[in-house]
Amino acid sequence: MKQLFFISILLGFGIQSFSQSEYREGYVITLQRDTIKGFINVSNPNACVFKRSYTDPDQITYLPDDIQGYGYPKHFIASRPVSTKDGKEIRAFVDCLLKGDATLYQYLNSFYIEKTDTLFLALSKTSVSGASAESSDNARISTAGNYVGILSYLFMDCQEIRQKISTTKYTRSSLTSIVKDYNQCKLKDFVQYESGQPSIKVQMGLFAGVNFNALKMQTNDANNDFLLSEPTYYSHSVLFGADVRLSWPRGTNKFALTAGALYLSSDFEIDETIHNSIGTDVYHGTIKTSELKIPIGVNYVLSNKGIKPYISGGFSMSFILQNSADFSRFHDDDYGEDYTDVYELFQFIPMVPPNGWFGLGISTHLSEKLDGFFEMRYETPSNISNSDNVSTKYSHIFLLAGIRFK
């Protein structure tokens, strides 16, 4: 009953957690430069999903042509013209890294600079793409070359940073640093934001769940003839664990590496009666284990919307911490004396060889610093017997619910 009560709590937590969405308090800037306060769903980088209050069932979806931009704590996303790989110009939402007299934006792996709200240019590694500026400025900038030349031209009124411009790298940190230096040189106020796509994202997770075990055994030993039919036994227990997830949002925002540790136990109660030509054998025993598993794998998010379905898989190493396989066999002999044997059915392998696992799950945003997830995971069978006359296939199904800290 206690285990059923715990399962109900986990399922209730999962249903309540995954009914929520990734809304954060923020604002929208309209085309008329009006600011509307409300809540922003931050799960979709290609659209701004907005509602007036957190409990409001109605939401408005803004595309880059509909607004000037939107923001939420430590982030500002602007609507600006950008160039695609095939040279076409589209309007898209871009991350603002630093806003001031000179403002730096990032879109995917490209950077853009804006100066005094009138000049918006791509910072190119090789050559300058089309620029939305006055014709006289275009003529001058067309001779500037790559991003170093563009920065040298735009920042020519600040001689103090000229040497640093020549050594600036085409990276988020280096470009942010030089734009920051320029605003400080001109004594202009600026705001530095966090990028909506950090280079590395690390999440620590805690979870609990239910473990369903299956143990299939077989033997070539007539003394354990109840195993000749290769029976399968089942058990379930509570498990606990923790994991770490590492992803690279600016490269691909769907793949992640994951590693963790979880503790679980099993308890198989076995009672078998076998009739044969010389009598009856009655077997009774328990097989108990407690183990530490170290699963390592990859995680792939199928959709980055509010509730994110994902698949995962990898391999797992297991360490048997405690174990027992104590058995008794009572032999009722039809032609002679009855007797009872007490013995150990098999000995355990202390470290189980790596075996595969895969899972299906969903995750969602709970708060600014917390995500929730629910996952079903299957682990392929492994042999835990170290005895020659008994072999095993020991497999697991896990139901997991937990939280991950950002």
Side-chain angles (χ1 to χ4, degrees):
M1 291 298 294
K2 289 183 179 179
Q3 290 175 333
L4 292 176
F5 177 71
F6 185 77
I7 294 172
S8 300
I9 293 177
L10 287 176
L11 293 176
F13 171 79
I15 294 172
Q16 182 178 4
S17 298
F18 304 133
S19 63
Q20 302 184 48
S21 298
E22 294 194 31
Y23 279 96
R24 302 187 193 179
E25 190 171 358
Y27 58 91
V28 167
I29 302 176
T30 68
L31 295 177
Q32 294 75 33
R33 294 183 178 272
D34 295 325
T35 300
I36 306 174
K37 293 184 178 180
F39 290 83
I40 306 291
N41 188 327
V42 302
S43 63
N44 187 351
N46 300 316
C48 171
V49 181
F50 172 84
K51 58 184 182 180
R52 294 279 187 168
S53 67
Y54 191 82
T55 57
D56 189 351
D58 297 326
Q59 60 185 29
I60 304 173
T61 300
Y62 294 106
L63 299 178
D65 289 326
D66 301 328
I67 56 177
Q68 290 196 7
Y70 64 94
Y72 51 95
K74 298 182 180 180
H75 295 80
F76 177 66
I77 293 87
S79 173
R80 294 293 186 270
V82 299
S83 298
T84 62
K85 291 182 179 180
D86 56 4
K88 295 181 180 180
E89 187 176 274
I90 62 170
R91 202 161 186 90
F93 285 127
V94 297
D95 293 322
C96 182
L97 305 182
L98 187 144
K99 185 173 181 60
D101 187 57
T103 300
L104 181 66
Y105 298 98
Q106 181 178 2
Y107 176 71
L108 301 179
N109 293 320
S110 299
F111 298 93
Y112 295 80
I113 191 163
E114 186 175 64
K115 193 173 181 187
T116 61
D117 294 330
T118 60
L119 191 65
F120 184 79
L121 298 168
L123 295 177
S124 173
K125 285 184 178 182
T126 55
S127 60
V128 180
S129 58
S132 55
E134 299 292 336
S135 59
S136 58
D137 286 331
N138 274 331
R140 295 188 182 96
I141 294 172
S142 64
T143 64
N146 63 8
Y147 71 96
V148 173
I150 295 174
L151 293 175
S152 298
Y153 172 75
L154 294 179
F155 297 166
M156 66 171 58
D157 55 342
C158 185
Q159 298 296 322
E160 301 172 16
I161 64 171
R162 172 167 292 187
Q163 182 61 37
K164 185 175 180 179
I165 291 175
S166 64
T167 60
T168 297
K169 298 179 180 179
Y170 196 78
T171 63
R172 179 166 65 97
S173 59
S174 186
L175 289 171
T176 301
S177 178
I178 194 65
V179 176
K180 178 180 178 180
D181 289 345
Y182 175 76
N183 284 282
Q184 290 176 332
C185 174
K186 301 300 293 180
L187 301 178
K188 300 292 185 178
D189 293 334
F190 65 89
V191 178
Q192 186 170 351
Y193 297 96
E194 292 182 1
S195 171
Q197 297 290 335
S199 56
I200 297 178
K201 182 179 180 181
V202 179
Q203 287 186 288
M204 302 287 293
L206 298 174
F207 57 85
V210 183
N211 165 44
F212 297 92
N213 309 301
L215 178 63
K216 182 177 182 179
M217 295 184 288
Q218 60 183 11
T219 186
N220 54 10
D221 183 4
N223 290 325
N224 289 305
D225 51 358
F226 77 100
L227 296 180
L228 295 175
S229 62
E230 301 182 7
T232 301
Y233 302 97
Y234 301 94
S235 172
H236 64 275
S237 63
V238 173
L239 64 85
F240 305 92
D243 66 7
V244 177
R245 180 165 295 180
L246 183 66
S247 59
W248 295 264
R250 290 176 57 203
T252 172
N253 61 350
K254 291 192 173 184
F255 276 104
L257 296 179
T258 179
L262 57 93
Y263 173 83
L264 58 93
S265 61
S266 63
D267 189 348
F268 300 95
E269 190 79 18
I270 299 173
D271 287 288
E272 297 283 0
T273 300
I274 302 296
H275 302 282
N276 52 48
S277 59
I278 60 173
T280 301
D281 290 326
V282 179
Y283 296 91
H284 175 75
T286 56
I287 299 175
K288 297 181 178 181
T289 68
S290 63
E291 56 187 300
L292 176 67
K293 287 188 175 293
I294 310 294
I296 299 173
V298 295
N299 180 276
Y300 181 76
V301 178
L302 300 175
S303 172
N304 275 316
K305 295 184 178 180
I307 296 180
K308 303 180 180 65
Y310 65 85
I311 58 176
S312 55
F315 66 92
S316 179
M317 296 177 291
S318 302
F319 301 89
I320 305 296
L321 304 179
Q322 295 180 338
N323 62 81
S324 65
D326 298 328
F327 266 70
S328 66
R329 181 184 63 174
F330 171 71
H331 178 69
D332 184 3
D333 199 302
D334 292 342
Y335 305 100
E337 295 183 1
D338 301 340
Y339 61 88
T340 299
D341 289 334
V342 178
Y343 61 101
E344 187 176 37
L345 183 62
F346 61 84
Q347 294 182 336
F348 287 78
I349 296 175
M351 185 177 75
V352 180
N355 56 301
W357 63 269
F358 60 89
L360 298 171
I362 54 176
S363 67
T364 191
H365 175 77
L366 301 180
S367 69
E368 187 175 347
K369 297 183 178 180
L370 205 63
D371 286 344
F373 70 93
F374 186 82
E375 180 177 341
M376 181 175 69
R377 184 181 299 181
Y378 172 73
E379 189 170 291
T380 57
S382 56
N383 181 32
I384 58 174
S385 170
N386 199 29
S387 300
D388 294 334
N389 60 342
V390 176
S391 63
T392 62
K393 291 183 178 180
Y394 183 45
S395 59
H396 306 274
I397 293 178
F398 304 138
L399 292 181
L400 309 174
I403 56 175
R404 289 196 177 94
F405 303 91
K406 295 184 180 179

